Amino acid sequence: MKQILTSNKKIMGVLRLQLPTDPRWVNIVEKNIEEILTDHAWCEQKAATNAITIITNNSEHQDLVKDLLALAKEEIDHFEQVHNLIIKRGLKLGRERKDDYVNELYQYMKKSGNGSRVSGLVERLLFSAMIEARSCERFKVLSENIQDEELAVFYRELMESEAGHYTTFITYARKYGEGIDVEKRWREWLAFEESVIANYGKGETIHG
């Protein structure tokens, strides 16, 4: 247990998240594996769509386009992996789920830009980084607490991937945030996310 706590503290420090997920959330998840897998699959699809949206609106940045194309492909691959797990277990991929957590972050993003293209890009990148950071943390909690060994290994592998996606978004926010104090803005995002995530951790979904 001590080793797990140390590891959790480390990843919280790297991601700079302010509020860790209560491991007891996994007890809720384990009661409805079909729901968590369905929700997770759609999270991956939305992440791929988000990356494509950023590319569409900022196609002049060749390096960003290249890296986000790779990221989008990886998210779709994750969608397929989750779907394969669903089929393997004799479960069904349900309809797309509403993600209240992400919707709250989205509304914050929409209200925060100053109308410029640079501000719009930075806000979208920080919005994306925030989701990846929390997803990474949730995957870690799952990997260390779920009794299903196959899912424990699966979420450990995906946790590492999400950490890379988080880094990609943060890096480009810093690179293209000319005239914006990106570090200050990120601290504001972290504070806001803390206030939002405090209301979650009660549902059998990735951000629930």
Side-chain angles (χ1 to χ4, degrees):
M1 177 62 72
K2 185 176 181 180
Q3 183 178 0
I4 291 176
L5 288 175
T6 300
S7 181
N8 283 346
K9 287 181 179 179
K10 182 177 180 180
I11 197 168
M12 289 294 290
V14 170
L15 299 173
R16 295 169 61 184
L17 295 171
Q18 305 299 296
L19 187 64
T21 296
D22 187 331
R24 289 176 295 182
W25 164 70
V26 178
N27 297 333
I28 299 171
V29 167
E30 288 179 316
K31 294 176 182 178
N32 196 342
I33 295 298
E34 185 172 49
E35 179 64 22
I36 189 72
L37 291 177
T38 285
D39 181 73
H40 180 190
W42 290 114
C43 284
E44 299 291 356
Q45 178 270 323
K46 292 169 190 173
T49 299
N50 178 63
I52 295 298
T53 297
I54 296 173
I55 289 170
T56 301
N57 294 333
N58 303 277
S59 57
E60 69 273 21
H61 301 308
Q62 190 175 56
D63 53 351
L64 180 146
V65 170
K66 181 179 178 181
D67 285 347
L68 291 197
L69 277 173
L71 188 151
K73 290 177 182 177
E74 193 166 86
E75 300 287 21
I76 287 298
D77 179 63
H78 292 169
F79 187 119
E80 183 178 20
Q81 288 182 47
V82 180
H83 188 229
N84 287 341
L85 270 176
I86 290 172
I87 294 172
K88 179 181 177 181
R89 289 164 178 252
L91 306 174
K92 291 183 179 180
L93 174 65
R95 302 289 294 179
E96 180 182 349
R97 285 3 184 197
K98 181 180 179 182
D99 194 326
D100 292 326
Y101 165 81
V102 170
N103 286 338
E104 288 194 55
L105 297 187
Y106 182 82
Q107 292 304 318
Y108 180 66
M109 173 189 71
K110 293 292 286 184
K111 296 173 183 177
S112 299
N114 63 18
S116 70
R117 290 196 71 232
V118 171
S119 175
L121 173 58
V122 168
E123 288 301 311
R124 190 79 186 208
L125 290 170
L126 295 183
F127 161 77
S128 304
M130 193 78 263
I131 297 170
E132 297 288 352
R134 181 56 68 181
S135 297
C136 178
E137 190 261 353
R138 284 288 172 96
F139 290 170
K140 183 168 181 60
V141 173
L142 278 169
S143 72
E144 293 178 339
N145 294 280
I146 200 164
Q147 296 301 306
D148 188 309
E149 292 186 8
E150 181 181 35
L151 291 181
V153 172
F154 179 65
Y155 279 109
R156 174 71 188 185
E157 293 174 350
L158 261 62
M159 176 203 75
E160 296 171 358
S161 177
E162 297 297 292
H165 295 172
Y166 155 78
T167 300
T168 296
F169 287 122
I170 283 287
T171 298
Y172 278 112
R174 290 169 178 156
K175 180 172 184 177
Y176 289 116
E178 184 177 356
I180 296 174
D181 188 339
V182 176
E183 290 306 310
K184 177 177 180 292
R185 187 68 193 119
W186 182 235
R187 289 194 296 271
E188 293 169 352
W189 265 99
L190 289 166
F192 177 75
E193 197 270 350
E194 179 183 11
S195 70
V196 171
I197 201 65
N199 299 316
Y200 293 89
K202 306 176 183 71
E204 60 273 79
T205 57
I206 294 299
H207 302 123

